[in-house]
Amino acid sequence: MGIIVQENTGLFHLQSAGMSYLIQMVDGYPIHVYWGDKLKHREPMANLFIHTPETAGLDRLFQEYPQYGSGDFRNPAYQVELEDGTRITELKYAGYKLIKGKPLLAGLPAVYAENEAEAETLELELKDDYSGLKVVLIYTVFAGRNVIVRSARLSNEGGKKLRLLRALSASVDFGGKGDLDIIYLSGAWAREGNMTRRALHQGETRIDSKRGMSSHQLNPFSALVTPETTEHHGEAYGFSLIYSGGFEAVAEVDSFGSTRMSMGINSFDFSWLLNPYESFQTPEAVMVYSKQGLGEMSRTYHRLYRTRLCRGKYRDEERPVLVNNWEATYFNFNADKLVAIADEGAKLGIELFVLDDGWFGKRDSDNSSLGDWYEDRRKLPEGLADVAKRINKLGLQFGLWFEPEMISPDSELYRKHPDWCLHVPGRRRSEARWQLVLDYTRKEVRDYIYDSLSAIFSSVPVSYVKWDMNRALTEIGSAVLPPERQSETAHRYVLGLYELLERITAAYPNILFESCSSGGGRFDPGMLYYMPQTWTSDNTDAVERLKIQFGTSLVYPVSAIGAHVSAVPNHQVGRITPLDFRGNVAMSGNFGYELDLTKFSDEEKEMVKNQVISYKQIRGLVQKGDLYRLKSPFEGNESAWMFVSEDKEEAVVYYFQVMAVPNAMRRTLRLDGLNPELEYEVWSGDRGEKSSYGGDRLMQLGLHLAYRQKDYESGWFRLKAVKEG
């Protein structure tokens, strides 16, 4: 493993346990040669570059960081405007540097290496002598992971100003691969994470967000796959951006059938002024190669993000089972009602009570008080600390909801500081949910939020925070930025958010932070760096959650997926599903309840108690095991998945049928990820039956599934390897 440099031929061979990535310098240009299954390195490797006719120009070259204006008419990775208004630059190779381990990115979330032996980094230096632009392409390869992490640092080493018009994180030219499909996650509020797959043809396929956030509509992830690639077989190339603002991922097929995949900050409405000797660092793009289908691509992302992106105390700790009062009470509650729900939760084995929206300012609906982060003594006459201590005495931890990036026009904060929101002078201020967005480019705004939250954390025993963000950015302008930097506002907002999150999570390392954005509107790797889990969707309907959680798992680990049981009829779609069905879906994530437990019957309470007991027995496996997706809800009436321990000695399997099928055939479910040499004791959780099977039999012939003539059927199995002797 490592990075092999062949200086006489200008070849750079980046190697991991099962992957190679090759770059070669041709006439001073860094040319992309290969990315795929591991190649043996032989000396010399001089003829890997596929030459094109000398008259073809840059338009026929496969490049690592392409430019525009000198003969390449495809999407460039960057574009710069000089002081004279021209936009022509031409980067040429100027040298390289090898670094053991992986340097952090200042001010940006990034994956990390815990020691120098597990990763190696290559920096390729490119220069345009005329303008003084220098670009350092940064590549990190991990020894045991089929991952390439890419970013770029653009610097002005000339004597005149430069303006970045585009600065992407990565660009890869796929030549000789033939036809490719693209897979991405699409949707909207309450239906996030829908897997979309379509063939690429000549022209562009653009996945992006112009909302100032990663968005419900499209996630900062895409994968290129061969047409024959499935969950278990074929090649997959994943692209995931560690960024929480507007992004773009563009697949462009040219007239010769090659595909250029590029990813980074959205170039729309973006520019960045570089004064002499200033630099700009792009976010990281995490690129994963799999030759064993989408499943292995996902597991590679899961292991990396769970252990080398998430940080802090809760990276490795099992997450608590919680009850949230939102759908139980909405804004209508008092201290006794909250304690009553917590008391019932304690009897059922729940470990954390979360007080959601409505506890602050004069917040009786969502039309006021955001920014006024002090307790509402009308609802809580003895204060938050009293409620929290009463709940702690029941044996539960106490959690609290905030929406710290927003401000209500009807708030004391807005009346005092009407200029603290994002706005453009003389233009209307677009409200969504009766709220505006605070200007996080301003240090005094971030300081106010830090001080407000710190005052609560210092006086109330808060163990968990749900950090919400309920609207996209509009009128993106800042009162403190000069005219020539107004188009930097959106990115500076994200940088300001990251600065605040770094500060507050470092100051309160014992608080479990969960990100939220009306559900999955900002489910991205950038947020996972600061908060190890995310509220996946405001839609808690179990049938819809099959798709939402299945799709989200394409790139994000289950340890990041918040999943709750809610009341029926469901508040989003009105569907009535059985409690066991809702529980089995929610137990396939970070488990909790979002309803009024005091209204449950004794029978329902007993079911909840058993669900909590069962989840506590398996949550380490669910949150840290390898996920194998067995049946897709996007392809039929059934869904199934399983979690397998690293040593393959333990597994848990869930299956679901949405609608009953008349005169159905007997069903079997083929498992995956087991050791074919081991014998497994299989316990059926829904039937209480126990039997033993070989791992090979379970993966080749499968498990027989019981059939009941009813809608919304579900079941689960626990597997443990039988010890010899």
Side-chain angles (χ1 to χ4, degrees):
M1 187 289 298
I3 300 173
I4 303 167
V5 180
Q6 195 170 282
E7 293 192 0
N8 61 327
T9 59
L11 185 71
F12 297 85
H13 186 176
L14 287 67
Q15 254 186 5
S16 68
M19 179 190 72
S20 285
Y21 189 100
L22 283 89
I23 307 162
Q24 190 162 21
M25 298 303 154
V26 177
D27 298 328
Y29 300 107
I31 300 302
H32 179 75
V33 177
Y34 175 83
W35 180 26
D37 199 6
K38 186 175 182 178
L39 300 174
K40 291 182 180 179
H41 189 86
R42 296 177 174 88
E43 294 286 352
M45 295 180 74
N47 298 317
L48 290 174
F49 169 66
I50 301 173
H51 291 277
T52 57
E54 292 183 5
T55 58
L58 294 178
D59 207 35
R60 298 286 294 275
L61 293 180
F62 305 144
Q63 299 175 66
E64 284 293 307
Y65 207 68
Q67 61 213 21
Y68 178 80
S70 300
D72 188 340
F73 301 98
R74 297 164 291 177
N75 273 319
Y78 77 98
Q79 190 174 22
V80 176
E81 183 179 77
L82 281 60
E83 259 192 355
D84 62 8
T86 62
R87 298 165 306 286
I88 307 302
T89 57
E90 191 162 21
L91 294 171
K92 290 294 189 78
Y93 175 64
Y96 75 92
K97 181 191 296 184
L98 293 181
I99 303 169
K100 293 293 184 183
K102 183 180 184 298
L104 296 177
L105 297 187
L108 285 168
V111 296
Y112 56 89
E114 290 194 333
N115 58 73
E116 291 185 349
E118 68 174 293
E120 191 169 7
T121 299
L122 167 68
E123 293 189 350
L124 287 180
E125 186 177 299
L126 312 175
K127 287 186 178 180
D128 176 51
D129 291 333
Y130 179 84
S131 65
L133 175 67
K134 183 176 83 170
V135 175
V136 177
L137 303 182
I138 306 168
Y139 303 78
T140 296
V141 61
F142 287 82
R145 310 173 193 267
N146 293 337
V147 173
I148 297 284
V149 181
R150 287 192 57 179
S151 67
R153 185 170 61 250
L154 298 90
S155 304
N156 182 359
E157 296 193 342
K160 298 181 179 180
K161 294 179 180 179
L162 299 175
R163 182 177 294 278
L164 302 180
L165 304 178
R166 177 191 295 247
L168 301 185
S169 300
S171 180
V172 179
D173 286 346
F174 291 84
K177 279 290 177 187
D179 295 337
L180 292 171
D181 292 351
I182 188 169
I183 298 175
Y184 55 93
L185 301 178
S186 60
W189 174 78
R191 49 182 174 86
E192 301 89 341
N194 280 266
M195 288 177 61
T196 301
R197 178 171 182 165
R198 65 188 194 208
L200 293 176
H201 300 288
Q202 187 172 343
E204 285 188 8
T205 299
R206 183 180 184 87
I207 313 301
D208 80 344
S209 169
K210 303 178 182 70
R211 299 169 182 265
M213 54 195 282
S214 44
S215 87
H216 302 274
Q217 287 71 21
L218 293 162
N219 196 271
F221 161 80
S222 58
L224 299 186
V225 300
T226 55
E228 65 273 11
T229 296
T230 66
E231 181 71 24
H232 311 288
H233 306 286
E235 289 190 306
Y237 300 84
F239 294 81
S240 174
L241 190 67
I242 304 181
Y243 189 61
S244 306
F247 73 93
E248 63 180 74
V250 181
E252 180 184 15
V253 180
D254 68 12
S255 57
F256 302 104
S258 66
T259 300
R260 172 169 290 174
M261 186 70 200
S262 53
M263 174 174 271
I265 295 172
N266 202 321
S267 305
F268 175 80
D269 199 36
F270 165 85
S271 74
W272 193 274
L273 184 63
L274 279 183
N275 288 318
Y277 309 109
E278 290 183 343
S279 296
F280 180 87
Q281 174 65 52
T282 71
E284 286 188 343
V286 180
M287 299 161 34
V288 165
Y289 170 74
S290 166
K291 65 175 180 179
Q292 295 176 311
L294 294 171
E296 187 58 33
M297 179 199 73
S298 296
R299 288 185 288 277
T300 301
Y301 274 119
H302 296 172
R303 296 169 192 138
L304 181 73
Y305 283 175
R306 189 177 67 245
T307 65
R308 293 297 181 270
L309 177 66
C310 296
R311 304 175 297 163
K313 173 183 177 181
Y314 291 96
R315 185 191 79 171
D316 301 318
E317 281 195 9
E318 294 180 359
R319 313 290 167 73
V321 180
L322 65 83
V323 59
N324 182 300
N325 77 297
W326 178 240
E327 290 191 14
T329 67
Y330 292 104
F331 295 100
N332 185 25
F333 60 81
N334 57 34
D336 289 342
K337 178 60 179 177
L338 300 177
V339 173
I341 295 173
D343 183 43
E344 201 61 60
K347 296 172 185 176
L348 302 176
I350 290 171
E351 300 159 310
L352 167 67
F353 175 85
V354 179
L355 171 54
D356 211 283
D357 196 357
W359 58 267
F360 55 92
K362 297 178 180 178
R363 182 82 162 173
D364 296 322
S365 69
D366 56 6
N367 63 3
S368 75
S369 300
L370 290 173
D372 298 344
W373 297 112
Y374 48 84
E375 59 211 358
D376 183 352
R377 291 279 180 157
R378 298 172 306 151
K379 295 180 182 179
L380 308 173
E382 303 301 320
L384 271 176
D386 174 71
V387 173
K389 289 173 183 176
R390 289 171 66 184
I391 289 172
N392 287 164
K393 286 182 180 179
L394 297 171
L396 276 70
Q397 301 174 63
F398 180 72
L400 205 54
W401 177 96
F402 292 88
E403 193 170 1
E405 298 168 63
M406 300 295 150
I407 184 171
S408 301
D410 182 10
S411 67
E412 294 303 318
L413 182 65
Y414 189 80
R415 285 184 276 274
K416 186 176 181 180
H417 296 288
D419 63 326
W420 273 16
C421 65
L422 292 176
H423 69 280
V424 176
R427 314 300 294 186
R428 73 182 178 95
R429 301 181 180 189
S430 304
E431 294 182 25
R433 299 178 83 251
W434 297 280
Q435 63 193 55
L436 301 167
V437 183
L438 283 170
D439 184 356
Y440 267 33
T441 72
R442 302 176 65 156
K443 185 178 185 301
E444 65 270 32
V445 172
R446 302 195 302 272
D447 286 346
Y448 169 81
I449 294 298
Y450 178 86
D451 291 342
S452 297
L453 270 59
S454 293
I456 294 171
F457 298 158
S458 300
S459 59
V460 180
V462 175
S463 301
Y464 163 103
V465 165
K466 181 178 179 182
W467 182 296
D468 212 342
M469 189 263 196
N470 278 309
R471 59 156 295 181
L473 278 56
T474 57
E475 289 81 49
I476 302 176
S478 174
V480 297
L481 291 177
E484 65 271 18
R485 292 194 178 273
Q486 284 297 317
S487 53
E488 300 175 8
T489 304
H491 182 56
R492 288 187 180 274
Y493 177 93
V494 177
L495 295 179
L497 171 65
Y498 289 157
E499 186 271 340
L500 176 60
L501 293 180
E502 183 68 36
R503 185 180 175 193
I504 205 159
T505 56
Y508 299 96
N510 293 320
I511 294 178
L512 170 58
F513 286 85
E514 178 180 88
S515 66
C516 175
S517 183
S518 289
R522 202 166 59 184
F523 202 137
D524 60 63
M527 294 305 293
L528 290 183
Y529 185 72
Y530 304 98
M531 304 182 182
Q533 62 188 57
T534 300
W535 180 229
T536 316
S537 177
D538 281 349
N539 189 342
T540 54
D541 172 64
V543 174
E544 289 298 311
R545 273 299 188 113
L546 291 173
K547 291 183 177 180
I548 292 168
Q549 293 172 205
F550 189 99
T552 300
S553 77
L554 197 62
V555 60
Y556 300 106
V558 173
S559 61
I561 294 175
H564 295 173
V565 175
S566 62
V568 291
N570 176 263
H571 291 197
Q572 289 78 47
V573 300
R575 198 186 332 262
I576 298 175
T577 53
L579 183 55
D580 62 340
F581 187 90
R582 284 175 276 156
N584 287 336
V585 174
M587 281 194 280
S588 301
N590 286 320
F591 185 50
Y593 295 84
E594 191 150 336
L595 40 71
D596 190 345
L597 294 170
T598 67
K599 294 182 178 180
F600 268 4
S601 67
D602 290 342
E603 182 183 1
E604 288 172 321
K605 290 176 183 177
E606 188 64 24
M607 288 185 69
V608 169
K609 188 175 183 179
N610 289 330
Q611 286 176 346
V612 172
I613 291 171
S614 296
Y615 185 73
K616 288 178 180 178
Q617 292 172 348
I618 64 169
R619 64 177 156 188
L621 183 57
V622 170
Q623 294 171 9
K624 300 178 185 179
D626 286 331
L627 172 68
Y628 289 84
R629 295 181 293 260
L630 306 177
K631 286 183 176 290
S632 170
F634 297 102
E635 297 175 0
N637 191 42
E638 295 178 301
S639 306
W641 47 69
M642 62 187 291
F643 306 93
V644 183
S645 63
E646 185 178 358
D647 61 11
K648 300 188 179 297
E649 293 192 354
E650 187 176 1
V652 61
V653 182
Y654 287 97
Y655 72 93
F656 308 90
Q657 176 185 272
V658 176
M659 303 303 293
V661 178
N663 194 23
M665 295 178 62
R666 190 177 187 187
R667 299 171 300 165
T668 59
L669 181 65
R670 291 175 63 178
L671 306 188
D672 202 353
L674 302 175
N675 185 337
E677 304 299 323
L678 291 179
E679 187 81 6
Y680 290 91
E681 184 179 75
V682 181
W683 182 67
S684 172
D686 56 324
R687 300 198 304 270
E689 300 172 357
K690 189 178 291 185
S691 53
S692 294
Y693 303 101
D696 54 349
R697 189 258 198 212
L698 292 169
M699 292 191 289
Q700 299 303 322
L701 295 177
L703 277 173
H704 290 299
L705 301 178
Y707 181 73
R708 301 181 184 91
Q709 192 71 25
K710 66 174 186 176
D711 295 339
Y712 314 125
E713 178 191 0
S714 67
W716 58 281
F717 298 91
R718 286 194 68 185
L719 284 69
K720 288 191 176 182
V722 178
K723 301 294 184 180
E724 294 183 2

